[in-house]
Amino acid sequence: MKKPVGDQELVVLRWVAEHGPATVGEVAEKFGEPQGLARSTILTVMERLRTKGHLTRHKVEGVYQYSSSVPLAELLRGVVGDFVQKSLAGSLSPFATWLSQADEVSDEELRQLEEAVARLKSKKEGEE
C-alpha cells in the first residue's frame, strides 16, 4: 500500500497525472510558477511522491521524466475513497447529500453520476 499524500503533493501528483510525463523543470514552469512555487519546492514534492511510490521516473536524454504510477481516474478514485473513509467514517450519505446540492453539474458529470447509480443498482440486484 502506498503512503498517503498531503494537499500540496496531491495537486502536483494530479498535474503530473493529467499532463505527464514531465520533467521537474516543466512542472515548475507550467504548474509551480503560476502557483508561486519555486523549482526547488517542486523537486522536493516530486521526489517525495516518488519515494512514496506515487511517481516513477525515467531518464530521457539525460533528464528525468516523471509519470504518475497510476492513471488519473484511479488516482482520483483512491483520493475520494480515502476521503470517504477518513472524513465521513465510510458513509456515502453526507457525500450524496453534498452532490445533490451542487450548484453546477455539467452534462458529462450528470451522465457519469447516472452511470454510477446504474452500476450500484445492478450490483445490489445481483446480491439479492
Side-chain angles (χ1 to χ4, degrees), residues 34-106:
Q35 305 294 322
L37 300 173
R39 184 186 188 286
S40 59
T41 301
I42 295 296
L43 173 61
T44 300
V45 169
M46 290 175 72
E47 276 301 304
R48 204 177 311 135
L49 287 165
R50 187 179 67 83
T51 301
K52 291 180 177 183
H54 296 283
L55 289 179
T56 59
R57 74 176 188 189
H58 302 284
K59 216 172 221 184
V60 177
E61 298 178 13
V63 180
Y64 284 115
Q65 295 263 333
Y66 291 77
S67 301
S68 176
S69 58
V70 297
L72 180 61
E74 187 178 328
L75 168 67
L76 294 177
R77 194 169 37 254
V79 168
V80 171
D82 288 347
F83 171 77
V84 169
Q85 291 303 315
K86 293 176 186 171
S87 301
L88 305 178
S91 173
L92 290 175
S93 294
F95 193 64
T97 300
W98 178 83
L99 278 172
S100 71
Q101 297 172 353
D103 291 332
E104 292 184 29
V105 178
S106 71

Side-chain angles (χ1 to χ4, degrees), residues 3-7 9-10 13 49 52 54 79:
K3 293 182 181 181
V5 297
D7 292 343
E9 291 172 331
L10 179 58
L13 178 56
L49 287 165
K52 291 180 177 183
H54 296 283
V79 168

